[in-house]
Amino acid sequence: PAFFRCVWPVLFGAPPLPRGEMRTSKKKEDSENKKHRFVDISRSALFIQARFRHAKTVFRDFGPSVFCNRMGDPCDHGDIVFLSDRAAKYIVLSETSSTGLLSKFVEGFWGVSKPEVLISVTGGARDFELSPPLARAFKSGLVEAATSSRGWIVTGGTDTGVMKLVGDACLESHLSVPVIGIAPYGATNGNDKLAGQFRRVMYTNVPSPSKDGAPLNGGHTHFLLVDSGLAGRGAWGTEIKLRSRLENFYVERKGVPRVVLVVNGGPGTMETVLEAARAPSPIVVVADSGGAASAISRYCSISRDS
């Protein structure tokens, strides 16, 4: 036995413990492992909570500082005050801005609650008229859908076409939901008034809509003005990619359903509808509004009949 106790550790390591002692040692080892795992999980949870609080504080107090314009300079932001005395938030940011950071900015700095549904309105940028019954049905349906679902209404933001129709309807109905306009900064009339940080701008004496630009609509509550470096008619459409990425972020990453509402429109509207169908997102077409909406309605009717 003495020889065994001396030689065994040299050849084979520590001698095996008796069965009872092995059980006790195994229990102690399991207990220690559980303690270590609990400590690791607790540290991870505290780290995540600290990072979350830090990010929330940053976007609450310094949100606009996270973004920059096309040239890399601090972005312009503040409040726009329209002739109706209604104020709206705005920020000018690069077309390459992160949609994840933009989502945190809108919810954290602007204090806009996460939507239960996105109502994405697309259609004609030129002025058009709906028949009085159709206009009343459109306005009442839009207001009811937005208020009952606690959603966001997203448009192109300018005071023309379907954007004006939606903004005016929300203004007349005193709608309390966010109406977010995503417009090209270079084609926004009066954009020279928006320079600076934490500005409060009186949005008056702004040029009327033309091929080179259009004013913002006063029925919107927030504006994301996309700076692509282009100005005038060349800037039209440069906001579409950021708008699409932001909407897709909410749909794919935050699980927010999106409904696309089509009113009038042209070839660009067709592309937007095609992308929404591939997503897939529900599409509501105002059939008698003309343009792309009427063409889509006729095509669906013919396909169904055949």
Side-chain angles (χ1 to χ4, degrees), residues 71-284:
M71 302 303 295
D73 297 322
C75 64
D76 302 324
H77 61 89
D79 297 331
I80 298 176
V81 182
F82 294 91
L83 286 173
S84 62
D85 288 334
R86 180 170 180 173
K89 302 289 185 182
Y90 78 92
I91 184 171
V92 181
L93 68 169
S94 169
E95 60 182 341
T96 58
S97 298
S98 164
T99 51
L101 295 179
L102 188 53
S103 166
K104 291 179 180 178
F105 168 78
V106 172
E107 296 180 29
F109 187 76
W110 279 348
V112 181
S113 300
K114 175 185 170 184
E116 292 185 359
V117 64
L118 279 176
I119 303 175
S120 180
V121 184
T122 184
R126 296 181 179 179
D127 287 335
F128 60 90
E129 290 187 6
L130 301 178
S131 64
L134 183 58
R136 287 194 297 271
F138 173 81
K139 292 179 180 179
S140 62
L142 177 66
V143 170
E144 183 178 354
T147 52
S148 62
S149 62
R150 288 189 295 178
W152 291 1
I153 299 176
V154 182
T155 81
T158 57
D159 199 35
T160 58
V162 67
M163 292 79 73
K164 175 178 173 61
L165 182 68
V166 171
D168 290 350
C170 295
L171 189 61
E172 293 169 8
S173 305
H174 303 287
L175 199 61
S176 59
V177 303
V179 184
I180 301 175
I182 305 178
Y185 175 73
T188 299
N189 290 350
N191 57 14
D192 56 310
K193 299 175 180 287
L194 308 179
Q197 288 78 44
F198 297 99
R199 293 288 308 279
R200 187 170 179 85
V201 179
M202 298 302 298
Y203 198 66
T204 57
N205 300 322
V206 179
S208 301
S210 67
K211 291 181 179 180
D212 294 325
L216 300 174
N217 177 265
H220 291 68
T221 59
H222 303 80
F223 290 98
L224 303 175
L225 304 179
V226 183
D227 181 14
S228 64
L230 300 175
R233 67 185 66 186
W236 289 117
T238 55
E239 81 287 358
I240 292 176
K241 288 185 178 179
L242 181 61
R243 174 177 172 177
S244 177
R245 289 195 293 115
L246 182 61
E247 290 183 2
N248 289 338
F249 177 84
Y250 272 92
V251 172
E252 297 169 5
R253 300 290 295 275
K254 293 206 165 190
V256 178
R258 173 179 56 180
V259 177
V260 177
L261 178 59
V262 186
V263 186
N264 197 274
T269 302
M270 290 288 197
E271 295 179 8
T272 302
V273 171
L274 179 60
E275 182 182 347
R278 286 172 174 167
S281 295
I283 300 169
V284 178

